[in-house]
């Protein structure tokens, strides 16, 4: 089951305790795009039903105008041509949203986010895996299929904050937030797995990026410790046995 990004955004927006974690997001129009570009230094244009980081466009304010990038392609334009440049990277068959860009924390010079692998093998949600997704050099998406790689989340948070207590505090917050997100989306959709992606700024602020109802587990194969991968696979078998 593929659930569109905007549906999930609106469902989470309906829960007051989650609103502060949601970056501003709208269906794309020329006026909204320009307004958000004035409010934020970076915006992302995402296909409503895309996954794996495919088709994401980034528009960024630079000294002499705007830089619009998709994959390895880039255009530098003035404000009059900004929307046209974004459209040139869009697929006509897709609906797109425009979203505030986040100042993600960095690990060894590359941006990262957190992937939380949630499963509901029986009656309650469990966190089967947590890992950092570290982007490939010069990439603005962290997805495995776009060259991103896994790193132990606690190690990455410790590197970002330099203090064990703050890293542990953020881990607890990430876990609590993931349970809330899974429960909220599950209210509307009969799902048993969810890959939740959260952005963490250097300040420690946490943002919701995406929740994928068909999460891949390849990221967890890259971790030296296979405990989380084994838990994911064990729960997958249990879900198949009990619910297929």
């Amino acid at each position: 089951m593929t659930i569109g990004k905007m549906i999930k955004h609106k469902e989470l927006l309906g829960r007051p305790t989650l609103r502060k974690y949601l970056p501003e997001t709208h269906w794309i129009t020329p006026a909204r795009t320009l307004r958000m570009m004035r409010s934020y230094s970076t915006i992302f244009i995402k296909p409503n039903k895309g996954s794996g980081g495919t088709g994401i466009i980034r528009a960024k304010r630079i000294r002499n105008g705007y830089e619009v990038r998709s994959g390895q392609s880039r255009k530098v334009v003035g404000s009059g041509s900004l929307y046209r440049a974004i459209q040139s990277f869009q697929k006509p068959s897709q609906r797109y949203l425009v979203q505030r860009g986040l100042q993600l924390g960095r690990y060894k010079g590359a941006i990262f986010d957190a992937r939380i692998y949630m499963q509901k093998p029986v009656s309650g949600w469990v966190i089967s895996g947590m890992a950092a997704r570290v982007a490939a050099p010069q990439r603005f998406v962290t997805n495995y299929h776009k060259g991103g790689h896994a790193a132990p989340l606690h190690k990455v948070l410790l590197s970002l904050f330099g203090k064990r207590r703050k890293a542990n505090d953020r881990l607890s917050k990430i876990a609590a937030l993931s349970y809330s997100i899974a429960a909220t989306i599950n209210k509307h959709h009969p799902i048993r797995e969810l890959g939740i992606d959260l952005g963490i700024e250097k300040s420690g602020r946490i943002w919701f990026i995406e929740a994928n109802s068909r999460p891949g587990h390849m990221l967890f194969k890259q971790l030296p410790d296979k405990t989380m991968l084994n838990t994911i696979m064990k729960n997958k078998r249990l879900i198949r046995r009990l619910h297929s």
Side-chain angles (χ1 to χ4, degrees):
M1 179 204 305
T2 305
I3 310 163
K5 290 182 177 67
M6 187 56 91
I7 286 177
K8 286 176 283 194
H9 178 77
K10 285 184 173 168
E11 288 166 359
L12 297 175
L13 211 51
R15 189 162 176 179
T17 54
L18 295 179
R19 281 178 199 157
K20 65 179 177 184
Y21 301 104
L22 304 175
E24 186 182 349
T25 304
H26 304 282
W27 289 117
I28 192 166
T29 66
R32 275 188 190 135
T33 303
L34 284 171
R35 182 182 64 73
M36 285 183 71
M37 199 76 260
R38 283 195 290 268
S39 300
Y40 308 113
S41 58
T42 305
I43 58 171
F44 285 92
I45 295 89
K46 300 178 176 182
N48 183 44
K49 290 202 171 169
S51 64
T54 301
I56 294 178
I57 302 157
R58 183 186 73 181
K60 182 181 177 183
R61 271 206 307 258
I62 54 175
R63 195 182 304 165
N64 55 341
Y66 301 95
E67 179 199 67
V68 181
R69 270 186 66 185
S70 180
Q72 304 287 27
S73 307
R74 72 188 280 271
K75 294 181 177 184
V76 174
V77 294
S79 58
S81 309
L82 175 64
Y83 195 72
R84 203 159 51 244
I86 288 167
Q87 280 184 308
S88 73
F89 290 123
Q90 291 179 337
K91 287 200 170 96
S93 59
Q94 287 269 25
R95 278 194 88 183
Y96 286 81
L97 356 145
V98 57
Q99 190 172 74
R100 168 193 178 156
L102 305 177
Q103 303 300 314
L104 294 178
R106 289 180 178 267
Y107 178 64
K108 296 184 177 175
I111 59 162
F112 76 89
D113 59 24
R115 161 56 63 98
I116 318 304
Y117 203 115
M118 308 283 299
Q119 292 175 300
K120 191 182 179 183
V122 191
S123 58
W125 284 98
V126 293
I127 293 177
S128 300
M130 299 171 101
R133 301 189 308 173
V134 184
Q138 311 305 314
R139 289 289 182 112
F140 60 81
V141 291
T142 59
N143 304 70
Y144 171 82
H145 296 291
K146 301 294 176 191
H149 70 273
L153 184 56
H154 188 265
K155 183 180 173 185
V156 171
L157 292 177
L158 198 54
S159 162
L160 181 68
F161 301 127
K163 291 180 181 166
R164 196 169 296 277
R165 185 186 293 175
K166 186 153 187 187
N168 290 340
D169 173 69
R170 292 299 88 184
L171 271 181
S172 301
K173 191 80 186 161
I174 285 165
L177 181 56
S178 298
Y179 280 114
S180 290
I181 290 167
T184 305
I185 292 174
N186 197 188
K187 251 189 220 166
H188 304 273
H189 309 281
I191 52 171
R192 294 209 164 259
E193 291 195 299
L194 201 61
I196 297 173
D197 299 327
L198 301 173
I200 298 108
E201 294 187 334
K202 194 167 180 2
S203 65
R205 183 162 184 182
I206 300 170
W207 292 97
F208 170 77
I209 296 175
E210 169 65 302
N212 190 335
S213 53
R214 288 182 177 173
H217 59 269
M218 296 301 286
L219 187 77
F220 293 90
K221 284 189 170 181
Q222 295 183 330
L223 293 173
D225 183 344
K226 301 297 182 238
T227 309
M228 288 188 275
L229 177 66
N230 293 338
T231 303
I232 290 167
M233 300 316 290
K234 186 185 82 180
N235 284 334
K236 275 183 179 291
R237 289 191 293 272
L238 196 53
I239 290 166
R240 272 199 300 271
R241 201 173 79 233
L242 298 177
H243 307 286
S244 59

